[in-house]
């Protein structure tokens, strides 16, 4: 007998109830959404990348109790829908590629990443992080790394790497769509501390990251130097985006369209902050006209962080 669509229900990492598409086959349900081409797996706490993607998650009654899996699956669906609805992009490659997510990777693993082929989520150690798929902005951030790889393919070091990180933060927070200071990872970071986050796009200095070129960190292009500070110098383009989107007359959707068009039409693997400025001005010009509010706002947004 053939597989049929079903609707699963369950609780996410933070105990919130949600429902999602599953597949029913021979009396077993699978975490597979065939309308969006999503599949969610478990590594069963192995850290061996050669065993990825691991085991496709299954359940006997379609009520799912694995919060990390529930969130990886439902948030991937939300990210898929955002790219399709807002930019008419079908998956990270624009061609309906399968979005594969593996949860429970490693033990107490305080990280999540796109490995060039799929999403990988650690469970966290319970004090620095809870399971990392539990935050929509993080899932959006990671899948955006895949979009970036299939478009500008920004090299993950120095200014191009900081742009890679920044575009991932920008899209992750646009998809999460909250008004809380443009924080990143707040839902999964330090469960015993409220109000903190991994990064703040509106106030990068609050986490020790620069918000202006004057404070650009010239770190070594090594693992210890975070490849030239890709997760810290991202504060500068992050702040530029917040300056832009918070300018009166600019909507979140239009700001996102400008950033997406810049990334996919003008930026390339070695683009630096000045190239990103030029690309976003050109994108705003294409979309809204050279004398538009958007062009003025994006130009001022970059100038305010010392770019241009
Ligand atoms: O910024 C990141 N990766 O480039 C993070 C680090 C912790 C969250 C999961 C992955 C965000
Ligand atoms: Ca956030
Ligand atoms: Zn990242």
């Amino acid at each position: 007998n053939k597989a049929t669509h079903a609707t699963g229900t369950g609780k996410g990492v933070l105990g919130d109830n949600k429902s999602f598409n599953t597949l029913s086959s021979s009396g077993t349900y699978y975490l597979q959404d065939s309308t969006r081409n999503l599949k969610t797996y478990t590594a069963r706490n192995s850290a061996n990348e050669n065993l990825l993607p691991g085991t496709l998650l299954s359940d006997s009654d379609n009520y799912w109790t694995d919060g990390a899996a529930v969130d990886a699956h439902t948030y991937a669906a939300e990210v898929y829908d955002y790219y399709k609805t807002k930019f008419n992009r079908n998956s990270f490659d624009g061609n309906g590629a399968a979005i594969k997510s593996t949860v429970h990777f490693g033990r107490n693993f305080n990280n999540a990443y796109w490995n060039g082929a799929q999403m990988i989520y650690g469970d966290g150690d319970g004090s620095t992080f809870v399971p990392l798929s539990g935050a929509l902005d993080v899932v959006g951030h990671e899948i955006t790394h895949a979009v970036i790889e299939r478009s500008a393919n920004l090299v993950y070091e120095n200014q191009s790497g900081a742009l890679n990180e920044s575009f991932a933060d920008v899209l992750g927070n646009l998809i999460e769509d909250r008004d809380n200071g443009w924080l990143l990872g707040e839902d999964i970071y330090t469960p015993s501390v409220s109000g903190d986050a991994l990064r703040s796009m509106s106030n990068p200095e609050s986490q020790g990251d620069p918000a202006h070129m004057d404070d650009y960190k010239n770190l070594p292009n090594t693992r210890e130097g975070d490849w030239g500070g890709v997760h810290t110098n991202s504060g500068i383009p992050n702040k530029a985006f917040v300056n832009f989107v918070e300018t009166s007359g600019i909507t979140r959707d239009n700001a996102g369209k400008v950033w997406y068009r810049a990334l996919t039409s003008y930026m390339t693997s070695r683009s630096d902050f000045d190239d990103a400025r030029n690309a976003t001005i050109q994108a705003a010009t294409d979309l809204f006209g050279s004398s538009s509010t958007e062009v003025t706002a994006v130009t001022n947004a970059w100038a305010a962080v010392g770019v241009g």
Side-chain angles (χ1 to χ4, degrees):
N1 64 333
K2 71 182 180 55
T4 56
H5 291 186
T7 300
T9 54
K11 287 188 188 304
V13 171
L14 305 181
D16 47 330
N17 292 305
K18 40 194 76 171
S19 63
F20 38 89
N21 289 340
T22 58
L23 208 61
S24 166
S25 173
S26 314
T28 300
Y29 297 93
Y30 296 91
L31 262 193
Q32 181 167 343
D33 178 343
S34 40
T35 64
R36 299 181 177 91
N37 201 4
L38 313 177
K39 294 177 181 172
T40 303
Y41 302 78
T42 177
R44 291 187 281 189
N45 294 114
S46 161
N48 183 347
E49 281 209 302
N50 302 315
L51 301 180
L52 289 172
T55 309
L56 186 66
L57 279 149
S58 63
D59 188 88
S60 55
D61 62 7
N62 218 10
Y63 179 73
W64 301 75
T65 56
D66 181 340
V70 166
D71 280 344
H73 199 63
T74 52
Y75 289 157
E78 278 193 61
V79 175
Y80 175 90
D81 288 351
Y82 185 92
Y83 273 101
K84 191 74 179 66
T85 312
K86 303 290 186 184
F87 310 134
N88 194 28
R89 187 186 186 95
N90 182 4
S91 193
F92 59 87
D93 69 338
N95 199 25
I99 296 177
K100 298 178 184 173
S101 306
T102 297
V103 295
H104 306 308
F105 180 78
R107 292 194 182 292
N108 299 323
F109 186 54
N110 283 326
N111 211 339
Y113 60 99
W114 171 262
N115 75 349
Q118 65 161 97
M119 273 312 311
I120 294 164
Y121 297 99
D123 289 331
D125 59 13
S127 61
T128 304
F129 287 107
V130 297
L132 283 92
S133 57
L136 175 55
D137 59 356
V138 168
V139 174
H141 175 109
E142 293 308 332
I143 295 175
T144 297
H145 276 313
V147 172
I148 291 164
E149 188 185 279
R150 299 305 185 92
S151 53
N153 195 18
L154 290 157
V155 176
Y156 206 62
E157 63 189 26
N158 305 321
Q159 285 197 15
S160 55
L163 288 167
N164 192 322
E165 273 303 306
S166 176
F167 274 76
D169 282 354
V170 165
L171 270 297
N173 269 314
L174 280 175
I175 292 165
E176 187 176 62
D177 193 16
R178 267 187 202 158
D179 288 326
N180 68 340
W182 299 90
L183 301 175
L184 200 281
E186 67 277 20
D187 286 355
I188 50 153
Y189 187 57
T190 57
S192 62
V193 180
S194 63
D196 66 344
L198 266 165
R199 296 189 279 278
S200 165
M201 296 171 60
S202 58
N203 182 6
E205 306 99 318
S206 68
Q207 305 308 312
D209 301 324
H212 193 283
M213 285 307 287
D214 292 350
D215 304 310
Y216 189 91
K217 293 188 179 175
N218 291 297
L219 294 171
N221 182 13
T222 61
R223 178 176 298 281
E224 298 69 38
D226 190 28
W227 311 112
V230 300
H231 288 99
T232 185
N233 291 313
S234 52
I236 294 163
N238 279 357
K239 182 69 175 174
F241 179 79
V242 173
N243 292 340
F244 178 44
V245 74
E246 295 195 338
T247 306
S248 67
I250 305 299
T251 67
R252 290 171 78 96
D253 278 1
N254 286 343
K257 282 183 170 50
V258 169
W259 248 240
Y260 179 79
R261 184 176 179 84
L263 176 72
T264 54
S265 298
Y266 296 109
M267 291 166 71
T268 59
S269 61
R270 286 286 181 188
S271 291
D272 62 14
F273 290 2
D274 203 49
D275 297 324
R277 170 191 177 273
N278 297 336
T280 53
I281 290 170
Q282 187 56 57
T285 303
D286 298 344
L287 292 167
F288 304 105
S290 55
S291 52
S292 63
T293 310
E294 285 77 7
V295 166
T296 306
V298 74
T299 306
N300 293 342
W302 285 104
V305 299
V307 179

